[in-house]
Amino acid sequence: MRRLLHLTGQHRTPSVDRMFGLLLAFNAGAVNAGGLLVVHMYTSHMSGFASQLADGLVLGSMPLLLGALGALLAFVVGAATTAVIVHWARRHRLRSAFAMPLMLEAALLLVFGLLGAITLTWPTLFAVPLTVLLLSYIMGLQNGLSSSMSNGKMRTTHMTGHITDLGLELGRLAFRNPRETPAALRVQANRSALRLYASLLLMFIAGGLVGAAGFKYVGFVWVVPLASLLLALSLPPFRRDLRRSVYLQTLLGSMARRFGRSPHAPVPPP
C-alpha cells in the first residue's frame, strides 16, 4: 500500500511507473466503455473523431463536423493543460508535477459522476452535449499525463500503439534464429515490454468491463469511487509540497483571499 502513495511523487522507480500506467489504463477503459453507453461514442481515443471530421467535410454534415472538431479540440486542450501544469510545477521545483494533473482529472470525474446526467442536456457550439467535451478533455489530460510521466513511451487512453507493439514482440518471440546466427544478430523479444503491453491491454479491458457494468446498473455515480481513488493517490505529494513550498503557500493563500471575498465586501486600502 505504501508504494501506491508514491505513484505520483517525484522519485519513482520503473515498477512504480508501470503500476501507475496500469491504473490509468484501467481508468481510461472504464471511462471509454461507460461513456459509450451514455453518449454513444468512444471518447478516450481520437482516431474515430479524426475520421468523423473527414466524413463531415465530404458529406457536408455540419453536426458530424462540429462534433468531431469539438472532441478533438477538447482532447488537445486537455493534453496541453497537463503540459502547462507539469512544466509550471517543475519551474517552481514542486515534487507534485504529476500529481496536480491527476488531481484535476479526479475533480472533473467527480463533477461528471455527480452532474453527468445534467450535462447531457447542455448544448454546446459543437453539436454535441457538454458531456462529450468533458470526457474528451479528461482523456486528453490523462493521456498527456501518462505520456509525460513515461517520456512518450506509455499512453493509456488508447491501445492501438500498444497492441501493435505487442504483436511485434510476439513475432520476435516466435521467430526462430538459425543456430549459426551470431549473438549480436539474433532476433529476441523484449519480454519485459511484452508483459507491459499485455498488462496495459488487459487493464484497459478490465476497466471497460467495470465501466460498462457500472453505467448499466449504477449510473453516473459509479465513477465517484474511482475519482476518489485518483484523488487519494495525488494528494500525498501535493500535501508535502504545500508544507515545504513558500511559493505554493503564498499562491494558494492569494487565491483563497481573492475567491473568498464577497463582491460587495469593501476593498481594504493599500
Side-chain angles (χ1 to χ4, degrees):
M1 184 62 186
R2 290 184 60 186
R3 294 179 70 190
L4 294 177
L5 299 179
H6 299 283
L7 289 184
T8 53
Q10 181 186 37
H11 303 293
R12 299 185 320 280
T13 63
S15 63
V16 169
D17 281 349
R18 286 193 294 271
M19 188 183 300
F20 189 31
L22 293 176
L23 175 64
L24 292 181
F26 180 90
N27 181 66
V31 172
N32 199 39
L36 176 67
L37 298 183
V38 175
V39 297
H40 308 295
M41 59 183 68
Y42 294 117
T43 55
S44 76
H45 50 80
M46 294 293 108
S47 300
F49 284 114
S51 296
Q52 182 179 318
L53 182 67
D55 290 339
L57 287 170
V58 171
L59 299 175
S61 173
M62 193 59 66
L64 274 180
L65 177 62
L66 289 177
L69 182 61
L72 289 168
L73 287 176
F75 193 94
V76 169
V77 172
T81 301
T82 290
V84 169
I85 293 174
V86 169
H87 289 294
W88 172 84
R90 287 174 171 171
R91 173 72 59 87
H92 295 285
R93 299 179 181 178
L94 301 177
R95 300 179 181 180
S96 53
F98 298 128
M100 290 182 183
L102 192 65
M103 287 175 60
L104 177 57
E105 179 181 355
L108 292 175
L109 281 175
L110 284 173
V111 171
F112 172 68
L114 298 174
L115 302 176
I118 299 175
T119 60
L120 277 175
T121 62
W122 290 1
T124 66
L125 296 176
F126 295 101
V128 291
L130 182 61
T131 304
V132 175
L133 303 184
L134 176 61
L135 291 178
S136 297
Y137 177 84
I138 290 173
M139 290 294 94
L141 190 74
Q142 175 176 308
N143 212 40
L145 173 59
S146 59
S147 183
S148 297
M149 176 264 301
S150 64
N151 294 318
K153 297 177 182 178
M154 189 186 307
R155 293 179 172 86
T156 55
T157 66
H158 56 277
M159 292 291 112
T160 304
H162 292 321
I163 292 174
T164 302
D165 293 335
L166 177 64
L168 290 172
E169 294 301 338
L170 287 173
R172 295 185 183 108
L173 185 65
F175 186 81
R176 292 293 174 260
N177 295 283
R179 288 185 178 181
E180 63 276 10
T181 305
L185 298 179
R186 296 180 72 85
V187 176
Q188 294 180 323
N190 185 333
R191 295 176 183 269
S192 177
L194 195 154
R195 287 192 295 270
L196 174 62
Y197 301 142
S199 299
L200 287 169
L201 177 59
L202 290 175
M203 287 297 285
F204 191 89
I205 293 173
L209 291 172
V210 172
F215 262 117
K216 182 177 180 180
Y217 297 110
V218 180
F220 286 93
V221 76
W222 75 268
V223 302
V224 172
L226 184 57
S228 301
L229 173 62
L230 298 182
L231 190 62
L233 294 176
S234 59
L235 279 177
F238 181 76
R239 284 200 301 262
R240 286 194 291 270
D241 271 343
L242 192 57
R243 287 195 298 266
R244 61 180 288 274
S245 172
V246 175
Y247 170 79
L248 189 58
Q249 294 170 9
T250 303
L251 177 64
L252 292 180
S254 175
M255 293 174 59
R257 288 191 297 271
R258 178 177 299 178
F259 291 103
R261 182 185 300 159
S262 167
H264 303 292
V267 178

